[in-house]
Amino acid sequence: MEWNDLREIQIVKNLLNEKFNIKDIGNLKYFIGMEVPRSKEGISLCQRKYTLDLLEDTGLLAAKPATTPMDSAIKLHENSGPIHPNPTAYKRLLGMLIYLSHTRPAISYVVSHLSQFLSKPIIEYYNARLRILRYLKTAHGKGLFFSSKTNISLKGFSDSDWGACIDTRRSVTCYYFYIGESLILWKSKRQRTVSRSSKEAEYRVLALVGCEAQ
């Protein structure tokens, strides 16, 4: 079946309607906080309104923007300081940032890193989350773009931050996959075991990315 075969698409719609009683409301434009602008060049996916609402909710709409989502000079760990007085607000903000990372892969590393400390919400972690919001303020309409003219070629990139987790000494793995110029998959997570060198950490992530590519 060709992806643009309207007859086959209608057959699929009819089959789905028989099972689930669906309704065709046309091209998707907005869904659960995600905006889907379309053009001849391709389809965009962003969370502009969601980002602006989040900035307004946290009182950072007029705050000074940050050039990076995380301060590389700050090393967070379980004993970084006093506990945040409102753990609920702390966890709610993190949950919203996790959802926002669906269209903003640039924040996925720091959001994943901060997710490790949910059981002990320290004030410094909360401040790190606010920095992510100040970074998003620089381009709140940015997101993913899927070109209509992309070539069907798979490309993958990976990196490893050796011993990035101070508490466990485990390295952090990051990888990205593209089809042509369109980003389709990204992930950031701690490695399961402690690597004895940066080379070992890199080989581990290469093995993981190789399996993912297959």
Side-chain angles (χ1 to χ4, degrees):
M1 182 182 96
E2 295 291 335
W3 68 272
N4 59 348
D5 189 327
L6 297 180
R7 178 176 169 276
E8 294 290 346
I9 291 173
Q10 188 59 48
I11 290 174
V12 172
K13 287 181 179 179
N14 292 339
L15 289 173
L16 289 172
N17 187 53
E18 290 175 5
K19 296 289 184 180
F20 305 105
N21 191 26
I22 65 171
K23 182 180 180 181
D24 187 354
I25 58 174
N27 289 334
L28 180 66
K29 296 180 180 179
Y30 187 85
F31 183 67
I32 52 175
M34 293 189 183
E35 299 162 53
V36 192
R38 296 167 182 263
S39 67
K40 292 181 179 179
E41 286 73 32
I43 299 174
S44 297
L45 192 65
C46 67
Q47 292 170 279
R48 178 180 176 275
K49 183 179 183 301
Y50 184 88
T51 303
L52 290 172
D53 289 344
L54 184 53
L55 288 168
E56 185 175 7
D57 185 52
T58 53
L60 295 176
L61 203 55
K64 182 180 178 181
T67 56
T68 59
M70 184 177 183
D71 187 350
S72 59
I74 297 177
K75 302 297 182 181
L76 300 177
H77 54 87
E78 289 184 351
N79 299 310
S80 293
I83 301 295
H84 193 276
N86 190 348
T88 301
Y90 174 93
K91 294 176 181 179
R92 177 176 178 270
L93 177 56
L94 179 62
M96 297 179 78
L97 287 173
I98 290 173
Y99 185 64
L100 190 55
S101 67
H102 290 163
T103 60
R104 299 299 298 268
I107 69 171
S108 61
Y109 171 81
V110 60
V111 170
S112 174
H113 182 52
L114 293 173
S115 299
Q116 302 169 19
F117 308 109
L118 273 178
S119 61
K120 197 174 182 181
I122 291 173
I123 292 177
E124 193 170 353
Y125 304 159
Y126 186 80
N127 294 336
R129 286 165 170 77
L130 296 182
R131 181 184 174 91
I132 298 174
L133 292 175
R134 293 196 295 112
Y135 167 74
L136 294 170
K137 190 175 182 294
T138 59
H140 44 71
K142 194 173 181 180
L144 301 174
F145 179 71
F146 303 97
S147 175
S148 59
K149 301 177 182 178
T150 189
N151 59 318
I152 307 301
S153 61
L154 182 66
K155 295 183 292 185
F157 302 89
S158 66
D159 195 12
S160 178
D161 191 355
W162 181 44
C165 180
I166 297 176
D167 298 306
T168 64
R169 303 311 303 169
R170 286 192 283 173
S171 304
V172 176
T173 288
C174 298
Y175 60 84
Y176 299 81
F177 278 98
Y178 290 79
I179 288 184
E181 301 302 320
S182 302
L183 182 62
I184 60 166
L185 175 67
W186 60 95
K187 195 167 188 177
S188 174
K189 62 180 292 185
R190 282 187 299 182
Q191 294 183 359
R192 293 183 178 182
T193 57
V194 177
S195 297
R196 290 170 291 183
S197 67
S198 59
K199 287 185 178 180
E200 183 179 339
E202 292 289 354
Y203 280 124
R204 289 183 186 278
V205 67
L206 284 174
L208 176 64
V209 169
C211 292
E212 194 70 55
Q214 287 182 334

